[in-house]
Amino acid sequence: MTTPGARAAGRPARGDLFDPHCPTRQLLDRIGTKWTSMAVKTLADAAPDEVRFAELRRRMPGVSQKMLSVTLRSLTRDGLVSRRVEPTVPPRVFYRLTALGLSLEAALAGLRTWAEEHMAEIDRANEANDQEADEG
């Protein structure tokens, strides 16, 4: 958890996931969603170029306009994505990952790779568990 002394000294603060009051928990909730992972991946694939909102939505099958908007707003607020608006009618809105967002993509890529490589094992474990529950 960020301590006042660490903030005052300008030292980078490190969170403590096991502290119920630590903001790390809320951050993990925000970056741990499928839509965040997909948005970060899509923007990383386009980097360093920008991507318009409508194009992001096309590249993220199943995401609603509202959910994409909420996700991008959160990523922008956290400094992971930058947003640029062209004052046209209607406005053209562009997004790109910041350096911090690109660093998150590296971590999420490892998690996605793990999930893709182990999904069959997870499916088998779920099926076995469901079968045991049905028999028990």
Side-chain angles (χ1 to χ4, degrees), residues 38-98:
M38 289 176 74
V40 169
K41 168 79 167 116
T42 302
L43 291 168
D45 288 347
D49 296 331
E50 297 174 315
V51 181
R52 287 188 61 192
F53 182 91
E55 181 61 24
L56 267 172
R57 188 161 177 223
R58 276 192 291 280
R59 294 183 190 182
M60 294 174 57
V63 71
S64 69
Q65 182 171 335
K66 180 179 180 179
M67 182 78 318
L68 181 56
S69 180
V70 166
T71 300
L72 290 169
R73 192 175 307 120
S74 177
L75 290 169
T76 300
R77 184 173 185 269
D78 288 338
L80 300 167
V81 168
S82 66
R83 179 179 186 265
R84 182 176 66 84
V85 180
E86 285 186 358
T88 58
V89 179
R92 292 171 41 134
V93 183
F94 298 84
Y95 297 90
R96 81 169 63 195
L97 286 180
T98 63

Side-chain angles (χ1 to χ4, degrees), residues 15-58:
D16 177 2
L17 176 64
F18 295 98
D19 179 344
H21 304 291
C22 182
T24 301
R25 289 182 178 201
Q26 289 83 29
L27 178 58
L28 288 171
D29 282 343
R30 289 194 305 275
I31 64 174
T33 71
K34 67 182 173 188
W35 300 125
T36 293
S37 184
M38 289 176 74
V40 169
K41 168 79 167 116
T42 302
L43 291 168
D45 288 347
D49 296 331
E50 297 174 315
V51 181
R52 287 188 61 192
F53 182 91
E55 181 61 24
L56 267 172
R57 188 161 177 223
R58 276 192 291 280

Side-chain angles (χ1 to χ4, degrees), residues 106-126:
L108 290 177
L111 184 57
R112 279 192 311 271
T113 298
W114 182 91
E116 290 167 355
E117 289 175 354
H118 295 283
M119 195 62 241
E121 292 171 71
I122 300 297
D123 282 343
R124 285 191 297 274
N126 281 307

